[in-house]
Every structure is written in C-alpha cells, then in structure tokens.
Amino acid sequence: MEKIFYHFLQGLFLLYFVSASLAMTTTNITTDQDALLALRAHITSQGPHQILLKNWSVSSPVCQWVGVTCGSRHRRVIALDLSNMSLSGIIPPQLGNMSFLVSLNMSRNNFHGELPHEFARLRRLRVLDLDVNNLSGGFPEWFGSIHQLRLLSLNNNSFTGLISPSLANVSKLQTLSLSFNYLQGNIPTEIFKISSLELIFFQGNSLSGSVPDDMCRHLRRLKWIDLSRNKLNGQIPSSIYNCSQLQVLSLSVNHFTGFIPREIGTLKALERLYLYRNSLEGQILKEMGNLTMLKTFAIGANSITGEIPKEMGNLTVLKILGVGGNHITGAIPQEISKLCNLEELYLTLNNITGFIPMQVFNLSQIRTLSYRKPTFRRAFLNSNNLGGPIPDSISNCSKLKILELSVNNFTGPIPHYFGDLRHLEFLDLSGNNLMSDYSSSNTQLGWINSLANCKHLTVLGVADNPITGFLPNSIGNLSTLLEQLYAYKCNIRGSIPDGQHSG
C-alpha cells in the first residue's frame, strides 16, 4: 500500500512539474506585444513620420499596429513588415519569442549589430528578409535550425566569415540571397543539395574555391544563379545541363578557366548568360545557337578565340551580344543581321577582319554597337582589323552620339554624311587608312564643312591617317563645345581658331 501511495505522489509531482514547465513556456499575444515594444525601445531614430512611435501604443490592440498582421485562428502575430521605414537601431532578442511568426521583413532600413541567436526559436518562419541594412557579424550557424524557411535574403549588409553548411538542413529553401556582403571561403557543397532551391544570389562577396562538378545534379528547379564578382576558380561544371529550368546564369568577374561547356547549349530556357571577365578560352560553340530564348550573351574580357559562328543568327530575341576584349578572328557573319531585336553589340578589342555587314546598321532596335535603328546611340568598333570603306549605312543612324572606329584598316575617303548625324558628340577615326576626298594637297578638306552641322561635337579624332589638305575656314563653325581635335601624323595644314584644342 505504501509503495502504491509513493508512486501516486511521484506521478503527481511529475504532473505538476510538467504543467509548471508548460506554463512557463506558454506564449500569447502579450508576448508578441512585449517583443514589439522591445524593438521600438531599441530603435534610435525613425523617418520624419515617426510611424512606430505614434502607432505602436498599448492603448490599441497589437493586431492593429502598423506593419503587424495577425492570424485569424490564434490571433497571434504571424507577419511583421517594417520595410523601407528609415529605422535605425539594433534588433533585440525578444523578437525570438514571437513563436507564430511566419514572415519577417525589415529590409531597407539601417539596422546594425548582430542578429540575435534567439531567432533560432522562430520555427514557423518561412520568410526572413533583411536586405539593405548594416547588419554585421559572422554568418549565423543557427539558420540551419529554421527548417521551414523558404526565403532567406541578407543582401547588402556586412556579414562576414563562411557560409554555414548547416543551411543544408533547411530542406524547403527556395530563395537564398546573400549578395554584397563580406563572405569568404568556399561555397559549401551542401548548398547544392537543397533540391527545392530556385534562386541563388551570392554575387559581390569574396567567395573562393571552385564549384562542385555535380553542382546541378540536385538543382532541377533552379531558375537563377548569380555567383558573379567573387574569387571563384576552376571550370564551369558540365553538369550544368541538369539545371534544365535555368533562366539566368551569371558567373562573371571571377577566375573561371577552361572552355565554355558545350552542355550550356542544352539549356533551352536560358535567357541571360554572363561569363565576362574570367579566364575562359576556346571558341564560341555553334551550340549557343540552340538557345532561342537567350536575350543576353556576354562573354567579353576572356581569352576566347575563333570566329563568331553563323548559328548565333538563330538567337532572334537576343538584345545584348557582348564578345569584346577577346581574341576573336574572322569576319562579322552576315547572319548577325537576323537579330532583329538586338540593342547592344560589343565587338571591340578583338582581331575581327573583313567588312562590316551593311545590314548591321539597319537593325531597327540597335542602340549600342560596340564592334544603338536609326535610334542607335553608340558604336564602338575600335581595335579590330576591320577594313574597306566606312559603310554608307551609318548615315541611317540619325541618333548616333558616339562613333569609335579607331585602330582598324578602314580605307577610302572620310564620308561627308557624318554631317547628317546631328547628335554626334564623339567621332574617332584615328589609326586607319582614311584620306581626303581630294587628291590635291592644297585642297581644303570638304568633310570638315559637313561637321559644322554637328552642334554637339566635343571630340574629333582623325590622327594617324594619310589625310592631306588644308583646314577650311569653316573649322571655326564647328561646335562651340568642341574640346579636342586629334590630327597628329596627318598632312593637314592650317590654323585652328582660339578656344579649340588639338592633340
């Protein structure tokens, strides 16, 4: 009998202990109110409207406070949106007591200091957006404890250290955005095993090392990955073909080496490809012509060789084609004229030879030609081996502001139609084999007369050409804005009026 009574007392004590423990951990709307008041107390300044100071008051229900959303069932705070309110201060640990919180957005403010580790208690949290603040400290290990997270965005802060492999525990994560911080070290391979990921933004850090060969093995839902402006090296993994839903691939401004994988040509959903400023070599593969959804193809400032394949003409929705600063040879393919949506074409600093296809200047949408319709604004074709006469079709480009044709092999007379380009601000024809349209050395240079119509011209370069003749009196009618005239290594004679400079 005594033994039964003893067990009864023991059970009663255990029941009391459990009940007391539950009572101590039970939270309610008052808990949420206290947490929010603690946050208000830690805010050192607000915008001119002082929203929180005026609105967050115990005289009104928490669920009516600005930025606060409560659930209809439990009447607990489920969302807090304080984005873009000009708030400054630190984030207090009491926010970790808001156990029903599903979404927390404090982006575009000036919160500073470290994130409180009490955030690990927010087990229902799905959205954590802290973009554009001044938060600091090491990358929190406890992010791996918030298993329900779908979006984690810490862009434009001052987080340091390594990305924690514990993120692999967040198996439902869809958006991982850590751009423009001070993160270092390798990208944990565990990140690439989160099969739910759709968006990865790591650009603008100091991440190093290579990406794993099987990077895309588990990322079948991935739509956008941006690893640009880091210190990553090694080769672009051929497993990229597994990311079949990929729309944007950005690896620019790193130290990637090797060839552009042929497998990129299988990414039929790809819209933007950024690989510029790396150490890539090899050729532009004809398989790139299979990417019929591609709008941007940017591989400039690498060590790419060979010719531009004619298959690039299949990319009829392409808006930007950038291959400048490589070792590309051969002629500009006629098929480029099929790119009816092209707006920007960058070909400068290569070894391109031959003539410029006249059709390029008739592309109706083009605005920047670096080698923008009659509305194209800038043309950079310098430092190639382009030859032949300057195409008459340039005269169609009535909105042209910058025309840079220096250091090529253009021949023939300098055309008079430049005077029809009334918006021209910069014209550089230096370093070619251009000449006057008259053979007599004592004849005035007629093409200068036409430039009097270019009322916005500030720079004119014709240096290092076999031009002969006299400067006409109309040189004084050139734009009053003309600042620099480069005519060295020519046989041009005459005087330049005061107020204009020559080089």
Side-chain angles (χ1 to χ4, degrees), residues 357-390:
M358 295 181 62
Q359 299 93 326
V360 170
F361 294 99
N362 294 324
L363 291 172
S364 62
Q365 298 301 320
I366 197 161
R367 295 196 303 276
T368 298
L369 173 59
S370 172
Y371 144 140
R372 260 174 170 232
K373 136 182 194 156
T375 61
F376 104 64
R377 311 287 204 276
R378 300 178 292 173
F380 298 92
L381 295 165
N382 56 296
S383 305
N384 281 288
N385 289 308
L386 294 166
I390 297 174

Side-chain angles (χ1 to χ4, degrees), residues 62 285 297 358:
V62 173
L285 301 170
F297 181 74
M358 295 181 62

Side-chain angles (χ1 to χ4, degrees), residues 47-292:
H49 302 295
Q50 300 285 302
I51 296 174
L52 301 193
L53 185 63
K54 295 176 180 178
N55 184 268
W56 284 18
S57 169
V58 292
S59 62
S60 61
V62 173
C63 296
Q64 295 179 11
W65 290 2
V66 167
V68 173
T69 302
C70 292
S72 57
R73 182 180 175 189
H74 297 289
R75 301 305 296 168
R76 295 289 303 276
V77 177
I78 60 172
L80 180 61
D81 186 353
L82 302 178
S83 59
N84 203 23
M85 286 190 178
S86 302
L87 303 175
S88 297
I90 64 171
I91 300 175
Q94 288 89 336
L95 286 191
N97 297 331
M98 301 176 69
S99 55
F100 279 75
L101 204 58
V102 174
S103 176
L104 176 59
N105 186 349
M106 304 176 75
S107 63
R108 301 188 177 277
N109 286 290
N110 192 29
F111 288 106
H112 57 272
E114 298 188 13
L115 286 179
H117 63 83
E118 286 82 2
F119 270 26
R121 302 175 189 163
L122 303 177
R123 301 302 173 88
R124 290 181 171 89
L125 199 63
R126 294 189 175 199
V127 173
L128 180 57
D129 188 347
L130 302 173
D131 284 357
V132 194
N133 280 284
N134 195 27
L135 297 166
S136 59
F139 187 85
E141 185 84 22
W142 45 259
F143 278 141
S145 301
I146 312 177
H147 297 158
Q148 298 302 316
L149 267 182
R150 268 52 167 192
L151 180 148
L152 174 60
S153 194
L154 307 177
N155 296 330
N156 294 86
N157 280 284
S158 299
F159 290 103
T160 59
L162 308 178
I163 300 174
S164 173
S166 67
L167 279 177
N169 299 328
V170 190
S171 59
K172 299 176 182 178
L173 197 61
Q174 297 172 353
T175 299
L176 178 57
S177 196
L178 309 177
S179 301
F180 302 106
N181 282 280
Y182 300 99
L183 300 171
Q184 299 176 328
N186 292 1
I187 302 173
T189 57
E190 292 85 353
I191 299 292
F192 299 109
K193 296 178 182 178
I194 305 175
S195 59
S196 55
L197 274 173
E198 296 180 6
L199 308 173
I200 299 176
F201 302 106
F202 287 174
Q203 70 266 33
N205 283 283
S206 295
L207 299 170
S208 57
S210 60
V211 293
D213 291 339
D214 62 347
M215 179 185 81
C216 280
R217 179 181 177 187
H218 303 282
L219 301 181
R220 305 299 175 95
R221 300 181 185 178
L222 193 66
K223 296 178 181 177
W224 192 319
I225 182 167
D226 193 337
L227 307 180
S228 64
R229 300 183 184 278
N230 281 286
K231 300 176 181 178
L232 298 167
N233 55 43
Q235 298 189 1
I236 302 172
S238 58
S239 68
I240 196 74
Y241 72 90
N242 284 317
C243 293
S244 58
Q245 303 301 312
L246 201 60
Q247 297 173 10
V248 178
L249 173 61
S250 182
L251 305 177
S252 56
V253 196
N254 277 288
H255 306 302
F256 286 106
T257 57
F259 300 159
I260 299 173
R262 193 177 301 272
E263 289 79 4
I264 287 181
T266 67
L267 302 178
K268 297 299 180 64
L270 197 64
E271 296 181 7
R272 284 181 269 176
L273 177 62
Y274 301 98
L275 302 176
Y276 61 88
R277 287 180 60 187
N278 280 285
S279 298
L280 298 170
E281 53 188 337
Q283 301 184 358
I284 302 174
L285 301 170
K286 63 181 182 180
E287 284 83 356
M288 297 296 109
N290 297 330
L291 305 177
T292 55

Side-chain angles (χ1 to χ4, degrees), residues 308-316 318 321 323 331-342 345 347 357 359-361 363 366 369 371:
I308 300 173
K310 65 180 187 301
E311 286 80 4
M312 297 296 287
N314 298 335
L315 309 182
T316 54
L318 196 69
L321 174 57
V323 298
I332 301 171
Q334 294 283 346
E335 286 77 7
I336 291 293
S337 61
K338 297 178 183 178
L339 306 181
C340 54
N341 289 290
L342 197 66
L345 174 59
L347 303 174
Q359 299 93 326
V360 170
F361 294 99
L363 291 172
I366 197 161
L369 173 59
Y371 144 140

